[in-house]
Amino acid sequence: MAEEKAVGNRKNLSDMTLEEMRVWFLSLGEKRFRADQVYRWIYQGAGSFDEMKNLPVNLRKKLAVTARLAVPHIVQVQRAADGTRKYLFRLEDDNCIESVFMKYHYGNAICVSSQAGCRMGCAFCASTREGLARNLSAGEMAGQVLAAQRETGERIGHIVVMGSGEPFENYDALARFLRLLHAKDALGISMRHITVSTCGLVPGIHRFVRDFPQVNLAISLHAPTDALRSRLMPVNRKYPLTELMAACEDYMAQTGRRITFEYALMKGINDRDEDIARLLALLAGKRAHVNLIPLNAVRESAFSGSSRTRAREICQILEDHGIPATVRRRLGSEIDAACGQLRLSRKRS
Ligand code: SAH
């Protein structure tokens, strides 16, 4: 297949806006409407030029030598009874990434990865175990959405950038991806239906507030004190809680919207009454929403998740103190590999 040839200097088309694609097609001596056709195919989830049946064979051949489509290809799908699907994708350089498709009462959502691997080093997370392989391009991020839409035959209206990787470490590609998602001629997804989650890279948060005030922000908090947070999340040594919370205040003030704070409950580590009292103090008076997630057990991890009963108790305590909280619904529990686990297990098998 043409797409499996060496990357060489073939131009990647999957990252382009429609305007960029038109310019490139004109430079190739092709008509502008050909760009529109290819663009439409990409947004229908096409994985190769061969599939673009309304292009003349000669043009497909020409594209195969001058261009490429860097998009993820599905290698494995795990399906759960509640409609959740977990995808393992292969990228053009054989790196693997994961995405999760989920059904909610408000529509379909997908959790996309922003990097292959991660270098943030959070102690409880599978994605970071083998470090960072590389950043994903915008087209590789969009391609996860497109491939899932195509495979399910359903429209996806909500995006969470909460898969493997730290999106603010890959800011430029993330920004291009968000613009591609939003473009009317591409996916037309409302900025308000997109959420980006960060482990707390403060400069990234400030930049994001300026560039994407309509996009939702989630912060992986997981601990209410610097001592514990630095132990669980090395990023906290660089950007401690006072700086992180100041950046969050900036977002809340500029946008008038709530931030979701993710809090993975670890038995005896961050779920004791005194931890929750500190969490309340940290978030008091802020436009916060807390998403409690009983930790997914990761192989060879020192941490275990709190019980759902304890999670519900903590949720009630937060609510009683005026902080909206939810316990994350367990979607696809039978395929409930924590993020990064599918990729890891594949590497080890
Ligand atoms: N780097 C970004 C986005 C990816 S992680 C971030 O840190 O926000 C997505 C979420 O899953 C984060 O909140 C992360 O801390 C959480 N997570 C990682 N490992 C987990 C586990 N084993 N159980 C529950 N949540 C986990």
Side-chain angles (χ1 to χ4, degrees), residues 111-115 118 120 122-127 161-168 196-200 218-222 229 233 235 261-266 291 293-298 301 303 328 337-341:
C111 176
V112 305
S113 293
S114 56
Q115 297 179 312
C118 182
M120 293 292 100
C122 298
F124 47 82
C125 180
S127 305
V161 186
M162 233 182 243
S164 295
E166 169 47 48
F168 290 165
V196 174
S197 177
T198 178
C199 63
I219 303 284
S220 295
L221 186 63
H222 305 321
R229 196 161 189 273
M233 304 175 69
V235 67
F261 290 92
E262 292 151 275
Y263 198 91
L265 290 165
M266 297 168 226
N291 196 2
I293 316 147
L295 188 84
N296 277 306
V298 173
S301 165
F303 308 105
R328 187 180 288 175
C339 214
Q341 289 198 334

